[in-house]
Amino acid sequence: MKKVLLWIVGILAALCIAVSCIWGGEIASIRSVKSVGGNKYLYWMEYKASYDLDDLIKSDVDENAKLLDYVIKRIGKGLPLKIKSSQVADENGKTTTFNCTSFQAVKAQGEGYWFGRNYDYFKNPTMVTVSHPKMGYASIACSDMSHFGYTLQKLPGSFATKLNCLASIYAPVDGINEKGLCTSIMALPRQASKQNTGKHRVGTSVIMRLWLDRCATVQEALDLLETVDVRHDAKVGSGYHYFVADANGDCAVVEFDPNDGWKTLITRKCEEKNNMHVTNHLLHQKYFSTEPDPALGNPLSKSWWRYETVGAYLDTRNGSLSLDEAQECLSLVRWQDLHREDGLIEDTQYSNVYDQKSISLYLRNWNDYETTHQFNL
């Protein structure tokens, strides 16, 4: 009997060692998931598993379903896991795209810049992911957890229900890395990039993970952009443009030409200004308009009004803000139960201010503008 017990203990020990070797990083990541400040709709995770961005690029992951399949393959290692995104168009083809505001401004006190960002969408839980990859820069990034299967009714409570959180490493919607490079994404309805030059294809959020892991400056981000084709998932029913800003004050908006093979369009900060901002309409001079136009952006979420409001606020302060002012700027254009003309109700899921000098994130979740959560590397 003693020999049998020893044999069973040996088998169990071997299994534990095998599981630890195979899924040690994933298990540690899942165990780190926790709600922030008692807020059951805001979560934090330290991603400790390995990931291979070169392999991701070679896999030509350019659709949400492909990305989730790729995540399952990487973390499941043969297990029958399933992750489903909610970011798709409905049966009538109507899109439920997120509509956001972002800016870079000079810090009024001390050196450096603020990077502000409202994520306007619907009422979904939020994930803050901190990562320290072996081959890349450390970063803090935010994700909309509905993109990898969570809702207000389905939240990461038990170990098993936290599994989907691992997908957040591939699904940032804004973030900052250890070099102070920040990036955010804004929706452009019906303008899904379909770049097809023969380079490897990357999807909506993958390009942002590449920037965070591999780029220290805006120029490096733009150089990296030239090495891949960026393709947005047509099933989502929306396209996007990106804002990239570095710790030196350089910034650019990345867009794609809908009338010329989705060629990349770059808009840089005006030389006479120390700030730049973007909402949900095209900014490149080829398409820029001061009048709301559904062919150029999203009038439903008042993109042009938000753009003018933020611009005026920055101008009255010469583009130089305190942290309180950066947060106030975002509060001027946030939504709380915005009833759109298409019948949808939109909210500001969170408001972020990144300190590009100290590499910190100040987050206010779901219109709770009395509470600021701070995150650091």
Side-chain angles (χ1 to χ4, degrees), residues 89-101:
D90 65 20
E91 66 234 5
N92 299 314
K94 290 185 178 180
T95 60
T96 55
T97 56
F98 50 87
N99 300 282
C100 311
T101 301

Side-chain angles (χ1 to χ4, degrees), residues 245-273:
D246 64 33
N248 301 314
D250 192 11
C251 46
V253 173
V254 175
E255 299 172 333
F256 307 93
D257 196 331
N259 298 310
D260 190 10
W262 303 103
K263 290 180 180 177
T264 304
L265 301 173
I266 305 297
T267 302
R268 306 300 287 261
K269 180 175 66 177
C270 295
E271 291 185 3
E272 64 273 15
K273 286 203 167 189

Side-chain angles (χ1 to χ4, degrees), residues 103-139:
F103 66 81
Q104 186 191 54
V106 174
K107 294 173 69 174
Q109 294 88 28
E111 299 179 350
Y113 295 84
W114 301 116
F115 186 89
R117 189 294 204 276
N118 275 352
Y119 182 82
D120 305 325
Y121 194 35
F122 303 99
K123 291 185 175 179
N124 297 317
T126 300
M127 169 68 73
V128 177
T129 302
V130 174
S131 62
H132 293 83
K134 293 180 180 179
M135 301 294 291
Y137 298 126
S139 67

Side-chain angles (χ1 to χ4, degrees), residues 318-329:
N318 297 316
S320 179
L321 307 177
S322 65
L323 173 59
D324 287 343
E325 288 172 330
Q327 291 181 316
E328 180 183 7
C329 183

Side-chain angles (χ1 to χ4, degrees), residues 177-349:
N177 70 17
E178 64 180 273
K179 296 297 183 180
L181 182 89
C182 285
T183 183
S184 58
I185 187 172
M186 278 68 56
L188 293 172
R190 298 173 297 281
Q191 294 183 36
S193 172
K194 303 177 184 66
Q195 287 190 334
N196 188 23
T197 68
K199 303 169 188 172
H200 281 299
R201 303 186 298 274
V202 297
T204 304
S205 61
V206 173
I207 186 64
M208 302 178 73
R209 174 48 62 191
L210 286 168
W211 284 336
L212 289 173
D213 277 38
R214 297 186 170 182
C215 300
T217 66
V218 168
Q219 190 55 55
E220 288 181 9
L222 299 181
D223 290 344
L224 187 154
L225 191 66
E226 293 301 312
T227 67
V228 294
D229 283 340
V230 176
R231 295 173 63 88
H232 300 142
D233 192 343
K235 296 183 182 67
V236 175
S238 179
Y240 308 91
H241 57 177
Y242 303 89
F243 191 33
V244 187
D246 64 33
N248 301 314
D250 192 11
C251 46
V253 173
V254 175
E255 299 172 333
F256 307 93
D257 196 331
N259 298 310
D260 190 10
W262 303 103
K263 290 180 180 177
T264 304
L265 301 173
I266 305 297
T267 302
R268 306 300 287 261
K269 180 175 66 177
C270 295
E271 291 185 3
E272 64 273 15
K273 286 203 167 189
N274 60 3
N275 62 89
M276 188 176 188
H277 64 289
V278 57
T279 53
N280 299 100
H281 55 274
L282 291 168
L283 290 189
H284 194 271
Q285 61 182 0
K286 182 176 180 179
Y287 293 105
F288 181 76
S289 171
T290 57
E291 296 297 322
D293 184 343
L296 304 178
N298 193 353
L300 292 175
S301 289
K302 308 182 188 299
S303 177
W304 279 262
W305 172 80
R306 285 185 283 116
Y307 185 80
E308 292 175 2
T309 301
V310 170
Y313 188 92
L314 291 169
D315 286 345
T316 59
R317 290 157 178 78
N318 297 316
S320 179
L321 307 177
S322 65
L323 173 59
D324 287 343
E325 288 172 330
Q327 291 181 316
E328 180 183 7
C329 183
L330 292 174
S331 72
L332 293 175
V333 291
R334 66 186 171 107
W335 301 131
Q336 188 166 13
D337 295 330
L338 169 68
H339 291 260
R340 300 191 336 189
E341 296 174 7
D342 59 1
L344 297 173
I345 302 175
E346 190 173 322
D347 280 85
T348 297
Q349 187 169 322

